[in-house]
Amino acid sequence: MERYNMLQDEGIRRFVLESESLRPAYAAGAAIAEQRIFYDRLCRHFRRPRPIGIEVQDLFVNGPDASVSIRLYRPMTIGSLPALLYLHGGGYMLGGLDSHDDICAEIADRAGVAVIAIAYRLAPEDLFPAAFEDCRAVRDWVACSGAEHGIRSDTIAIAGDSAGGGLAAALALDARDRGAPRISGQILVYPDLGGDTSKGSYVEHAQAPGLTTDDVRCYRSAYLGSSVDPALGSKFAHPLRESSFDGVAPAFLVAAEWDPLRDDCFEYAGRLQACGVPVTVRHEPLLVHAFLRARHMSKPAAESFTAIAAAVRSLAYKKELPLQAA
């Protein structure tokens, strides 16, 4: 139990212990089929019922190589709603529409937006840029066809956690580069933005509960492929490799203290600020990676989720962010 002494919130300690009983520490090095069994079991354990009043529809969108499955969540209301793309975490290898179903439904309910979750292709079967291209295809579909489903497509907010946070940042960069569609904001929750694993929080929290630095390296390697040209580690795989963030959408980032990915948030925010992009970083000193699943068992996690939903609403409805120093 000594390794958990630094976790001061009882709910988070319980979350970590339950998580490790469902998905053991060696999981990231296991065969991919076994990894997915562990991860799906963990997601089912913490999954909560969808809020009452949320309509859910499964659809397919034409992707670059095949159809992409999406799930649309809408509060039961008359009229069109702002769009939020949600890109799930799971190390680019795990998860799908079911893994983050309750999280997406609760965001739709609290923020009053239409959430579009994406089942992008996973590594190692499909390497970069497959996942990115699937997400881009869905983003463009929302911009062109969202109105048919009661979605306002004049602007689109993008959100994601962990690997999904990196994909969300990449989509925001791509929209800036192409000049369309207009992105109203990016909400990145403990995102993997491709930071240097030899320094900072990657060293300080190399053995953090829930995600280690070796896990991060393993996931990134699977995403790019061990034989892939390192040049493919472009800004769309690792957004921190971008040289200029001029014109990128406003950002709300959440950094968990006990997480090797923590410093990616601060580095990304600093570079956005240097280019005059509005940005907020919410630092969570009591929380760990993947704490979204602990939002119903930990007060700090619940408060952070409330802040995330508020940021989604602000950015989706094109209001000002609740800014604070990054």
Side-chain angles (χ1 to χ4, degrees):
M1 293 294 293
E2 277 188 24
R3 65 186 294 252
Y4 304 111
N5 288 343
M6 77 289 191
L7 302 177
Q8 299 176 28
D9 180 67
E10 178 58 35
I12 289 298
R13 283 198 296 270
R14 183 158 55 91
F15 167 70
V16 168
L17 288 169
E18 291 182 18
S19 296
E20 292 186 352
S21 72
L22 296 161
R23 186 168 177 267
Y26 68 83
I32 186 60
E34 190 175 17
Q35 288 192 50
R36 289 172 180 161
I37 289 171
F38 290 145
Y39 188 75
D40 291 347
R41 181 173 65 184
L42 181 149
C43 295
R44 286 194 302 271
H45 176 78
F46 292 109
R47 183 171 173 175
R48 294 298 183 102
R50 296 169 183 158
I52 296 172
I54 295 295
E55 299 176 322
V56 180
Q57 184 179 14
D58 287 347
L59 301 166
F60 294 96
V61 171
N62 289 331
D65 295 310
S67 295
V68 181
S69 298
I70 66 171
R71 184 168 290 166
L72 170 61
Y73 304 80
R74 280 179 49 91
M76 292 181 183
T77 184
I78 297 174
S80 59
L81 293 169
L84 174 76
L85 290 188
Y86 194 91
L87 314 180
H88 68 81
Y92 312 101
M93 302 168 65
L94 313 169
L97 296 182
D98 291 335
S99 64
H100 289 62
D101 180 82
D102 54 335
I103 292 170
C104 290
E106 288 186 33
I107 290 174
D109 180 59
R110 294 198 193 193
V113 298
V115 175
I116 303 97
I118 305 173
Y120 54 81
R121 284 173 289 174
L122 299 175
E125 296 91 340
D126 292 287
L127 303 178
F128 172 81
F132 169 71
E133 289 180 343
D134 286 352
C135 295
R136 179 166 60 183
V138 176
R139 182 202 63 196
D140 294 347
W141 172 84
V142 171
C144 294
S145 304
E148 299 172 14
H149 298 273
I151 303 170
R152 280 173 40 193
S153 52
D154 53 337
T155 63
I156 301 168
I158 305 175
D161 66 283
S162 195
L167 286 166
L171 283 188
L173 285 172
D174 176 70
R176 186 275 313 267
D177 291 353
R178 295 170 62 189
R182 184 180 175 193
I183 303 301
S184 61
Q186 47 183 320
I187 301 92
L188 314 180
V189 183
Y190 37 79
D192 175 18
L193 299 169
D196 184 347
T197 61
S198 69
K199 65 180 185 180
S201 56
Y202 287 102
V203 175
E204 183 182 357
H205 296 306
Q207 298 300 319
L211 184 74
T212 68
T213 298
D214 282 345
D215 291 342
V216 174
R217 295 187 181 111
C218 179
Y219 292 141
R220 290 180 183 174
S221 176
Y223 184 43
L224 292 177
S226 58
S227 62
V228 172
D229 185 336
L232 285 179
S234 71
K235 63 184 179 184
F236 298 131
H238 301 313
L240 282 172
R241 296 197 178 188
E242 173 60 304
S243 58
S244 173
F245 292 91
D246 287 337
V248 174
F252 180 89
L253 297 100
V254 181
E257 172 60 30
W258 304 98
D259 182 356
L261 300 177
R262 181 198 65 196
D263 287 356
D264 278 17
C265 288
F266 293 105
E267 182 176 353
Y268 187 73
R271 294 178 66 183
L272 263 62
Q273 281 186 324
C275 293
V277 177
V279 59
T280 292
V281 178
R282 182 181 172 95
H283 179 221
E284 300 291 0
L286 301 178
L287 298 182
V288 297
H289 192 80
F291 72 77
L292 286 181
R293 300 191 190 281
R295 67 197 182 282
H296 292 289
M297 56 196 301
S298 159
K299 183 178 178 181
E303 291 172 345
S304 190
F305 188 74
T306 296
I308 291 165
V312 167
R313 185 171 182 85
S314 293
L315 289 171
Y317 282 91
K318 294 177 283 187
K319 299 178 181 178
E320 289 190 3
L321 270 172
L323 293 177
Q324 61 191 52

